[in-house]
Amino acid sequence: MYRTFLAQGKIGAAFTEVDVRRTEFFLALLTGALAIALPAAPAYSQDGRATVQAEAEDNDRNVIIVTAGRREQNIINVETTVVAFDQEFIENSNIDSIQDLVALTPGFEARREDLIGENNRFSIRGVSSVTNAATATAGVYLDDVPLTLGAVFNVPNIRTFDLQRVEILKGPQGTLFGAGAMGGVVRYISNKPDTREFGGQVRLEASTTERGGENYSVDAVLNVPIVEDKLAVRVVGSYADDDGFIDLVNFPTGPLENVNTRETESIRGIVRWTPLENLTIDLQALYERTTNSGFNAVQNNFVFVPPGPPAFVMPTSLFDDETTMALAGSESEFQQYSATVSLDVDWAEIVSTTSIYDTVFDGEFPLPDLILFDRDGSGFSQEVRIATKLDGAFNFVGGVFYQDASLDDDFGLPGIGLVAPSTEDREQLSFFGELYVEVLPDLEATVGLRHFTEDSTQSTVTNLGNFQPSPPVERSADNTRTVPKFALSYTGIDGVNFYATASRGFRVGGNNLSVFPMTPPTFDGDSIWAYELGAKFSLFDGRLNGALAGFYTDWTDIQTVISGFGAPTIVNAGDASIQGIELQLNYEVIEGLNLGLSGSLLDAKIDEDIGADNPAILTFSAGDRIPLVTEESLVLFANYTTPISDDWFLFMTGDLAFNGDQVTVDQSVGTASTTFANARIGAKSEKFEIAAFVRNLTNENTTSFFNDLFFSIPRPRTIGVELISRF
């Protein structure tokens, strides 16, 4: 029997009945003696109040237990909004990546920038990153390990196959996640090795895209116990080949069809060792390589004439296969290695997490030596935290976090001998904690705090052939800030939780890459104060679950990108405000039939005239919309499962997502409103599954603004089949 729950504001995400022991989080890690000396919490992860693991006890729909805040709670009692999608929902809905989940989550956007590497630029409740050069406004984590290296660049697009859950945390999460979580957090929660049972799964998919070609993918997972109850390994591998759907015309050697192909290879492995009953050590590795042979973009109605013979032009007419075009591609690699040690003692769980990571991006352009843009990044992070589990009125989560990251850029025009290599180093140390106080039997207060210091240095050299037209430039920026959080949660009414939260988010400043004299050498951090008032409920024996939240965000010193100085340049523009309301409902109409509805309304506006007296800053007027933010969104979802024999079930899923338009910096419409629909039908047994699916059923083809030169476009209607074998 399939059952669905609304997990902390989850939008119709299906949760099956699971055993708590199998769904617990065993978070991340440290090394050697320090790891053992500082035991860790096997059932908790770095986001604290945002880790969701639910189970139904004794078939009572009302009992949904979560480990939010590093402690067990009824899921509706948590005072923060988290949209969570579990493994069964992901599989039933034919979801391959975070991009598919974005469409099902109002107030959450991800601009995938294939033009500059394998990026996901996340925006949560209108708090967006204006450029890849800026620091992220949303943190991205694999379990407890951060995947962002400061700037919004080359964040891996992890496939959702064999993930226990994906969570989207809305609102500032700085007290438990850090400065990169100003607007929220995206978390990939991996399945951990099972030390008792051998098993695995193979998934094959083939599809065809309108105006494009054929696509296929292979995913596989293998779980191998080595020593029962002591040692096991779990390996997940994926390969996907997506054909293109954009043609490059008037190329010197002739037209090229379907140039924007994508090839992705990834492998994820975890070794779990449990030397003692209360001590767990996880060693995890992640590798991903993505090759884009062309951009998912078309020209913005201009004529492009590259330098030197033979001269040719590339006219553009959107969605005309004879005249659309893409300019370039890229190859990127991301690898990360982490260790997790988790020890449970009588009065607390203590977690130590250590990771190292490395990323490489190579820009590839069809015209030799036209543009050079390569980037390498590497880093190290360490976190140690403690979560108490006391019987009294007080409990606490706190710890220390350290990160050291570096980025090396090579940017220029090799055809004329202009190359400007740049190196940036960031080092951060922070102390964080949340205190939970049971003020009354049904009233809990939360007080959180993070204090951090981040130092960044950057050096840039400009070379014109063997000549340096200007001396090397070195810049530095320091950020020290304290980020607080306050919350109240009242659960005096059975099945209902009323909560109020006030929290601050902060994004660090940094150094600008351009060395032109007019370029501001550094930019300051920006910050928000976010206020949320909401209610969560589980009624009618758990058949109706939902959440209603209203929020207001005050955004100060917005980091804004400008151009014209030889490289993306960031300045602090001014202030803005965002207010909105979100509704999420999930209703089990009859056994096997679940309907979901969720929606979000935002009013995201600039508060003051900006830049009128400063030509270096983009000009805004009070009342202008914040660029690249969707203000209206609505999602409808249906899931039906019914037995068709003793061993087989028939299932059908469908979703419809509407998103309003977005404006560009000049307040013109950069992306018109869109409506996307997806559907899947199939049959499954314990061992096998077969299904047919269609993505972008309505063949939505609305262009999205990328910059003044390009529009990105969605993948057209794609129809395919899927086979799954479990053993």
Side-chain angles (χ1 to χ4, degrees), residues 348-362:
E349 290 107 358
I350 308 170
V351 177
S352 177
T353 302
T354 306
S355 70
I356 57 174
Y357 35 84
D358 184 80
T359 179
V360 177
F361 166 78
D362 294 319

Side-chain angles (χ1 to χ4, degrees), residues 308-531:
F312 61 94
V313 297
M314 296 181 181
T316 297
S317 174
L318 300 182
F319 307 112
D320 179 347
D321 282 347
E322 299 303 318
T323 55
T324 53
M325 54 77 65
L327 271 180
S330 65
E331 181 172 296
S332 59
E333 292 186 357
F334 186 96
Q335 52 187 318
Q336 184 178 75
Y337 305 93
S338 64
T340 299
V341 175
S342 179
L343 180 67
D344 187 357
V345 295
D346 291 339
W347 59 277
E349 290 107 358
I350 308 170
V351 177
S352 177
T353 302
T354 306
S355 70
I356 57 174
Y357 35 84
D358 184 80
T359 179
V360 177
F361 166 78
D362 294 319
E364 299 174 350
F365 296 84
L367 301 177
D369 295 331
L370 177 62
I371 299 176
L372 169 68
F373 186 69
D374 295 339
R375 168 169 282 188
D376 298 339
S378 61
F380 166 84
S381 68
Q382 172 66 58
E383 179 179 283
V384 177
R385 69 179 180 274
I386 184 171
T388 64
K389 47 180 182 179
L390 306 174
D391 293 332
F394 296 89
N395 272 287
F396 173 78
V397 173
V400 59
F401 174 79
Y402 173 81
Q403 184 180 52
D404 187 3
S406 65
L407 292 172
D408 296 322
D409 291 315
D410 285 326
F411 178 78
L413 303 172
I416 61 174
L418 177 62
V419 178
S422 176
T423 298
E424 181 178 34
D425 295 306
R426 291 174 177 260
E427 185 176 25
Q428 181 186 131
L429 177 65
S430 60
F431 302 89
F432 63 92
E434 286 189 357
L435 175 66
Y436 313 116
V437 182
E438 186 179 353
V439 181
L440 297 171
D442 297 318
L443 180 66
E444 182 178 84
T446 300
V447 178
L449 202 69
R450 176 181 287 262
H451 178 79
F452 70 90
T453 298
E454 180 174 291
D455 300 327
S456 64
T457 59
Q458 183 187 61
S459 61
T460 303
V461 178
T462 302
N463 299 308
L464 187 57
N466 295 323
F467 172 68
Q468 289 187 358
S470 61
V473 175
E474 294 191 3
R475 296 166 176 166
S476 61
D478 300 327
N479 295 272
T480 299
R481 195 63 64 101
T482 300
V483 179
K485 172 184 175 181
F486 309 95
L488 287 174
S489 176
Y490 177 72
T491 56
I493 301 176
D494 187 32
V496 181
N497 173 30
F498 298 98
Y499 67 92
T501 303
S503 55
R504 193 178 192 192
F506 179 73
R507 176 169 52 166
V508 298
N511 306 286
N512 279 313
L513 179 65
S514 175
V515 297
F516 281 64
M518 293 180 61
T519 302
T522 63
F523 54 94
D524 295 330
D526 55 353
S527 63
I528 64 173
W529 267 104
Y531 309 91

